[in-house]
């Protein structure tokens, strides 16, 4: 596998990509100085594969000294939107989750003035051009795109007591694509104003704060939640850092066990630096490149 070939391999522009130039779209992430090691590797992978898509960085908290310098270095826009109402909701829903409840700030991606937004968690590296997943939204038919389904960290046994929660697509919210013309932050405020008790009754406890809420509101609104592979041929639903039977194509880009294209890797729940896994060498490759860039810019 050639890291250089993986870095420089780009999909030729398609008619879909050309059409998307007329629309505003971008990537939204949440970060701060505490997750700098993740942020730097992510940004390097973005530079290599998706530099044509702008990035909007939502501050996780005020611990942003180095993050602001890094954002300027990479040409990333720091999102400046009012978070008081969202933070108040997070405090109300999770009064004891002082450290983790700011994870709900990912919902501020819906306040960015874009026609389409791709939300990504910062503990991700990108392998392929994400413009492939743009231009697919179709209100009432494709409202909310996801990569990975999940049956964990969303609901408990009370889920099936509610019609709008039965037989729904449960998803990992580390990646989603939607539009604020389809889903807004106000939808979250309204849902909790009317059904907060239901949310607490059905949500699975266990440390995830945004994921059960994002699932609940999209299901309550009866949005059409569609895995990307149902709209784009050859896309894998795999993104887990411990994926099995991964292979690599002639450009060093990863494929799942059925030969479908893996678009990114997500180290969900990992606290230390990746090491020893199938994608971990790629993460280190980007991490090392970022360290060199930071050193040359004299940020450290």
């Amino acid at each position: 596998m050639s890291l250089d070939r993986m870095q420089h391999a780009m999909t030729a522009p398609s008619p879909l990509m050309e059409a998307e130039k007329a629309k505003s779209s971008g990537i939204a992430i949440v970060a701060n100085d505490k997750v700098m090691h993740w942020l730097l590797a992510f940004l390097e992978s973005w530079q290599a594969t998706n530099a044509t898509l702008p990035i909007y960085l939502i501050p996780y908290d005020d611990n942003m000294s180095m993050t602001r310098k890094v954002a300027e270095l990479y040409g990333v826009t720091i999102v400046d939107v009012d978070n008081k109402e969202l933070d108040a909701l997070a405090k109300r829903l999770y009064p004891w989750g002082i450290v983790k409840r700011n994870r709900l700030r990912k919902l501020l991606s819906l306040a960015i003035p874009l026609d389409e937004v791709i939300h990504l968690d910062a503990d991700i590296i990108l392998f392929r051009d994400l413009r492939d997943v743009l231009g697919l939204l179709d209100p009432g038919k494709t409202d909310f795109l996801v990569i990975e389904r999940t049956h964990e960290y969303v609901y408990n046994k009370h889920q099936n007591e509610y019609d709008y929660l039965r037989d729904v697509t449960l998803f990992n919210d580390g990646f989603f694509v939607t539009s604020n013309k389809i889903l807004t932050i106000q939808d979250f405020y309204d849902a909790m104003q009317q059904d907060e008790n239901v949310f607490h009754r059905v949500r699975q406890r266990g440390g995830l704060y945004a994921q059960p809420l994002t699932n609940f509101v999209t299901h309550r609104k009866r949005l059409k939640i569609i895995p990307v592979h149902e709209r784009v041929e050859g896309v894998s639903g795999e993104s887990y850092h411990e994926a099995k039977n991964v292979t690599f194509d002639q450009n060093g880009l990863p494929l799942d066990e059925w030969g479908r294209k893996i678009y990114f890797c997500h180290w969900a729940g990992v606290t230390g630096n990746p090491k020893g896994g199938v994608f971990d060498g790629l993460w280190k490759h980007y991490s090392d490149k970022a360290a060199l860039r930071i050193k040359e810019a004299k940020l450290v």
Side-chain angles (χ1 to χ4, degrees), residues 63-84:
N63 184 18
M64 290 282 293
S65 175
M66 184 63 175
T67 301
R68 291 187 183 279
K69 295 176 184 178
V70 167
E72 183 176 2
L73 178 65
Y74 281 89
V76 171
T77 300
I78 301 289
V79 174
D80 182 18
V81 296
D82 186 356
N83 56 33
K84 292 180 180 178

Side-chain angles (χ1 to χ4, degrees), residues 104-244:
L104 267 63
R105 287 192 178 184
K106 69 171 57 179
L107 302 178
L108 292 173
S109 60
L110 301 173
I112 301 170
L114 296 170
D115 293 310
E116 290 184 272
V117 64
I118 303 171
H119 165 76
L120 290 164
D121 282 356
D123 52 350
I124 277 173
I125 59 170
L126 303 171
F127 302 132
R128 302 176 188 272
D129 194 333
L130 292 178
R131 286 179 296 176
D132 290 349
V133 305
L134 294 171
L136 304 176
L137 298 178
D138 186 1
K141 297 180 181 178
T142 304
D143 296 315
F144 195 91
L145 286 162
V146 300
I147 282 284
E148 188 177 354
R149 298 173 186 262
T150 184
H151 296 289
E152 299 178 334
Y153 304 114
V154 180
Y155 299 132
N156 59 36
K157 64 182 181 180
H158 298 294
Q159 171 187 354
N160 291 327
E161 297 174 13
Y162 301 90
D163 287 343
Y164 58 86
L165 300 181
R166 294 193 191 105
D167 301 318
V168 292
T169 298
L170 306 181
F171 57 88
N172 182 310
D173 74 340
F175 167 98
F176 61 76
V177 182
T178 193
S179 168
N180 56 24
K181 298 174 180 62
I182 294 172
L183 180 67
T184 68
I185 294 182
Q186 189 61 48
D187 290 325
F188 287 80
Y189 300 149
D190 293 345
M192 292 302 98
Q193 181 67 32
Q194 299 169 27
D195 280 336
E196 182 176 338
N197 290 339
V198 175
F199 171 64
H200 285 303
R201 178 171 172 76
V202 300
R203 73 176 176 90
Q204 182 176 330
R205 270 64 172 175
L208 290 187
Y209 289 61
Q211 184 160 295
L213 181 63
T214 307
N215 274 263
F216 181 81
V217 174
T218 54
H219 295 148
R220 181 182 180 276
K221 197 174 178 182
R222 300 182 187 274
L223 296 186
K224 297 297 184 182
I225 301 165
I226 307 295
V228 173
H229 70 82
E230 293 185 11
R231 294 292 182 266
V232 183
E233 186 177 357
V235 175
S236 176
E238 183 64 80
S239 63
Y240 187 46
H241 67 99
E242 293 184 355
K244 306 298 183 183

Side-chain angles (χ1 to χ4, degrees), residues 26-57:
I27 297 169
I29 62 173
V30 179
N32 67 357
D33 288 1
K34 186 176 180 179
V35 297
M36 183 57 60
H37 63 302
W38 292 113
L39 176 62
L40 288 171
F42 170 83
L43 290 175
E44 280 295 330
S45 74
W46 163 73
Q47 280 276 349
T49 61
N50 283 272
T52 57
L53 276 176
I55 288 189
Y56 299 84
L57 192 151

